[in-house]
Structures are given as C-alpha cells and as structure tokens.
Amino acid sequence: NRYLEQRQSSVFSFLKYPFLLDAHAKRCLMSYDSLRTMETEWGQLRRHMQTISPNDFELAITVRRENVLEDFCSQIWDRRQNRPSSLSLPLVVKFVNEEAIDQGGVSKEALSLIIKEFMSEDLGLMAPLPDVEGYAWFHPNFSVAPDAPAYRQHMFEIFGIVVGLAAYNGVLVPLSFPPVTYKVLKHGLQAVQFDDLRELHPS
C-alpha cells in the first residue's frame, strides 16, 4: 500500500519516521490511504465495465439481524473467492426489513455485532485466557463439521478480513486481545520477551 511505498521510497516522507506521528495523525493517514485505494478501484471499474450500476461502487452486504454473523461471513467469503478487488470498495450494510440507509452507522453497528460474535465463546473460535480476565485468544481446537458450508472452513481468515474491513472503513471494533498481540503486529515476534508471556499466564 501507499504507506509502505512511502516508507521504502528514497523521497523524504514523515511516514519513514512513524514515531513523529501520534495516533490521530496515523489514523488520518490510514483513512486517506483507504480513500485513495477506493478511488483507484472506482476508476478501474469505470474502465473495464460496460454497464455499471450504483451497487458496483460499493461492497454491499445484506444481513438478517438474527443471523448477522453467518450472512456476513458467507457473502464476504464469496467476494473473497470470486471478486477479491471488491473488498477495496466502501462497505455498505443493509439489515433485512429495516429502512435505515447506511451512511456509516449501520456498517459500524453490523461490524461491532459481528466482532462480538467472533469473540464469543459460543462460536468456539476464541477462548478466554484463563489467567487474565477480559482477554481472549484463538482456540487451538476450533473445528467445524464436515458438512458445514464452505466458508466455515475459513473462519480464521474471514475474521482477519472482517478486522481489516473495519480498519479500512474507519470503524473501531471491540477486540479483546492481550497487549502482546499488538506488540507482535508492530515489531514482529522477535520483540516478544519472557515478561510479555508471563503477563498472559502469570500463574
């Protein structure tokens, strides 16, 4: 993405020195980068599609409120398999039998509900850390039935896509991962110290 291109370029950029930027500035830059990526995808659609409908310019997902996780995941996986570039379009969510028009609020609500279900013990994808209250981690024994829908075999990947969509569309979602998770994302596994692991299992 443009963030990495700027960091690797020989041209001066503040992105080469992220320690100079606070969290708000980094979020603004990420939002700008997302908008530019969306504009690029729109331009490609205009050039390559003979007939274009308004829905072609958005990642439109329709879900039932009582089945929001299954509906959302199945449609996202279908996009991932058949038209992955559409994941770069703005997310627009519609709840069945509800009149609300998504101007950001509906997508935010849907993503929050979906992440909450992903983090729930009922799904079995995550498990609470036994020694640290309030944090969860990926369940090592998560499994699905052989006759389950195809997307169910890829729930970890779909979870990552959903988190990415939230960040890409500027939506804050409730993730209850331990602090060491973000240390790994920022600095890599080599940055993890014994004290980080002891925080996860103090006993």
Side-chain angles (χ1 to χ4, degrees), residues 107-122:
S107 294
K108 181 178 181 179
E109 179 187 7
L111 287 170
S112 295
L113 291 172
I114 292 161
I115 291 295
K116 185 177 180 180
E117 290 204 32
F118 265 121
M119 303 300 292
S120 168
E121 290 184 65
D122 295 337

Side-chain angles (χ1 to χ4, degrees), residues 28 35 44 58 63 71 76 83 94 106-107 118 126-127 130 152 155 161 170 176 183 190 194-195 201:
C28 288
L35 180 59
Q44 291 175 349
E58 58 193 29
V63 297
D71 290 350
I76 286 296
R83 191 185 161 195
K94 176 176 174 54
V106 180
S107 294
F118 265 121
M126 305 288 177
R152 273 275 181 174
M155 291 300 280
I161 293 173
S176 55
K183 189 172 184 178
Q190 67 274 10
F194 180 75
D195 287 342
H201 300 284

